[in-house]
C-alpha cells in the first residue's frame, strides 16, 4: 500500500515538521513521519511501515524502494517523490491524504503508481473540504474518469489560460475579446487552419500589409522570446 502526504511548498520534503497551512483555520498538511508513526502504532501495528521523502540519502531511498518492491515493506508513506518513475506491480492500494491540495494532473499521476500488475488498483482520495466546495467537485471529476485527455481539460479549466500575450501588462485598450481555450475551442481551431493557409500561400504577408504591420507590432523581440519559451 502507498500513502501520499500532501505537497507543502518549499518544504514539501520535510519529513518531520510541516509548514503552516492555507489561510484561515485549515490545519497544516500532515508530515510523512507523523503519518507513518500513527499507522505503525495503530491500525497497522505489526506490519512493516516505512517512509520515503526527497531529503533522504539516495542510497536509503533506493533501499526502501527495493524492499517495498520485494514485499518486505508492506506500507510506504511518501511525499510526491513517488509521483513518477515508480513501478511496483504488487502495489495495489493508495491513500492520498488531503487530496484537495493536489492538482488534477498530479492526482492522476499519483494514482497511476498502483494497479500496475495483474491485480486491480484502488486509490482513495481523502479530503476534509466541504462536499459543496470547488475542491470536492474537482476530486469528484478525477474520481469519475481515467481518461488523461479529459482530465487535462479539467485541469486547464481549473488553472485557466493565463495572460499569454501579456495583455494585462501592456496597458493598451482593445476592443478585441480574448478567447478562452475551453469555451472557444472550435473558433481557435478554425482560426489556426486559416492562419496556416494564409502563411502557406503568402509567407511574407505581402498581400496583407495591415496584418503584417499588426504582427510586427505585437511580436516585438521581448514578447517573441516569451512565446518561444512556451
Amino acid at each position: 500500500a502507498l500513502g501520499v502526504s500532501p505537497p507543502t511548498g518549499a518544504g514539501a520534503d520535510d519529513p518531520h515538521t510541516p509548514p503552516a497551512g492555507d489561510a484561515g483555520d485549515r490545519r497544516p498538511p500532515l508530515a510523512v513521519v507523523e503519518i507513518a508513526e500513527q499507522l505503525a502504532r495503530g491500525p497497522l501495528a505489526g506490519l512493516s511501515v516505512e517512509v520515503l521523502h526527497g531529503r533522504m540519502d539516495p542510497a536509503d531511498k533506493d533501499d526502501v524502494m527495493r524492499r517495498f518492491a520485494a514485499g518486505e515493506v508492506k506500507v510506504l508513506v511518501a511525499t510526491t517523490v513517488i509521483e513518477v518513475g515508480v513501478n511496483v506491480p504488487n502495489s495495489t492500494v493508495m491513500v492520498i491524504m488531503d487530496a484537495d491540495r493536489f492538482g488534477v494532473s498530479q492526482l492522476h499521476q499519483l494514482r497511476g503508481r498502483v494497479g500496475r500488475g495483474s491485480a486491480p488498483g484502488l486509490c482513495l482520495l481523502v479530503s476534509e473540504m466541504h462536499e459543496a466546495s470547488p475542491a470536492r467537485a474537482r476530486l469528484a471529476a478525477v474520481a469519475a474518469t481515467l481518461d488523461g485527455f479529459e482530465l487535462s481539460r479539467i485541469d486547464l479549466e481549473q488553472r485557466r489560460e493565463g495572460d499569454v500575450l501579456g495583455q494585462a501588462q501592456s496597458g493598451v485598450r482593445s476592443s478585441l475579446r480574448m478567447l478562452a481555450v475551453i469555451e472557444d475551442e472550435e473558433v481557435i481551431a478554425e482560426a489556426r487552419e486559416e492562419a496556416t493557409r494564409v502563411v502557406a500561400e503568402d509567407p511574407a504577408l505581402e498581400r496583407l500589409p495591415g496584418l503584417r504591420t499588426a504582427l510586427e507590432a505585437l511580436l516585438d523581440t521581448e514578447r517573441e522570446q516569451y512565446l518561444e519559451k512556451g
Side-chain angles (χ1 to χ4, degrees):
L2 281 168
V4 183
S5 180
T8 57
D13 277 317
D14 187 336
H16 298 284
T17 308
D22 297 344
D25 297 329
R26 191 178 186 188
R27 64 162 173 73
L30 299 170
V32 292
V33 170
E34 178 185 348
I35 296 175
E37 291 176 349
Q38 290 176 357
L39 292 175
R41 291 196 306 264
L44 300 183
L47 294 179
S48 55
V49 180
E50 293 279 0
V51 300
L52 185 69
H53 54 82
R55 295 191 177 188
M56 292 172 60
D57 182 271
D60 292 335
K61 287 193 288 187
D62 290 343
D63 179 63
V64 170
M65 286 305 305
R66 179 191 61 77
R67 290 187 289 118
F68 182 57
E72 299 172 13
V73 172
K74 301 302 182 182
V75 180
L76 183 62
V77 183
T79 63
T80 51
V81 69
I82 57 105
E83 182 176 355
V84 294
V86 174
N87 183 21
V88 181
N90 64 343
S91 180
T92 57
V93 178
M94 172 180 284
V95 179
I96 302 180
M97 301 301 297
D98 291 342
D100 51 273
R101 298 180 189 262
F102 295 83
V104 170
S105 296
Q106 194 170 33
L107 289 170
H108 186 54
Q109 286 282 356
L110 286 168
R111 69 178 174 186
R113 300 306 98 199
V114 296
R116 301 173 70 86
S118 58
L122 172 65
C123 179
L124 303 177
L125 307 178
V126 180
S127 173
E128 295 181 359
M129 298 299 287
H130 191 275
E131 189 172 354
S133 68
R136 284 289 294 271
R138 184 174 73 251
L139 295 183
V142 173
T145 181
L146 296 175
D147 186 334
F149 181 75
E150 177 61 23
L151 289 173
S152 295
R153 292 173 62 90
I154 295 171
D155 197 24
L156 183 57
E157 288 178 333
Q158 292 287 329
R159 296 172 183 267
R160 306 308 297 172
E161 294 77 20
D163 182 22
V164 178
L165 295 179
Q167 183 192 44
Q169 287 76 26
S170 67
V172 177
R173 294 180 61 86
S174 172
S175 61
L176 294 177
R177 180 176 67 87
M178 298 296 286
L179 297 178
V181 174
I182 298 298
E183 290 84 353
D184 301 306
E185 181 179 3
E186 293 183 3
V187 174
I188 293 172
E190 292 175 4
R192 180 181 178 84
E193 291 178 3
E194 181 65 14
T196 301
R197 183 190 64 78
V198 169
V199 173
E201 296 177 357
D202 183 13
L205 299 178
E206 295 178 353
R207 289 177 289 181
L208 297 168
L211 178 58
R212 182 176 60 190
T213 300
L215 286 175
E216 288 174 349
L218 175 66
L219 296 177
D220 56 34
T221 303
E222 182 178 349
R223 191 168 294 177
E224 186 174 10
Q225 290 176 349
Y226 173 79
L227 290 174
E228 287 178 351
K229 290 180 181 179

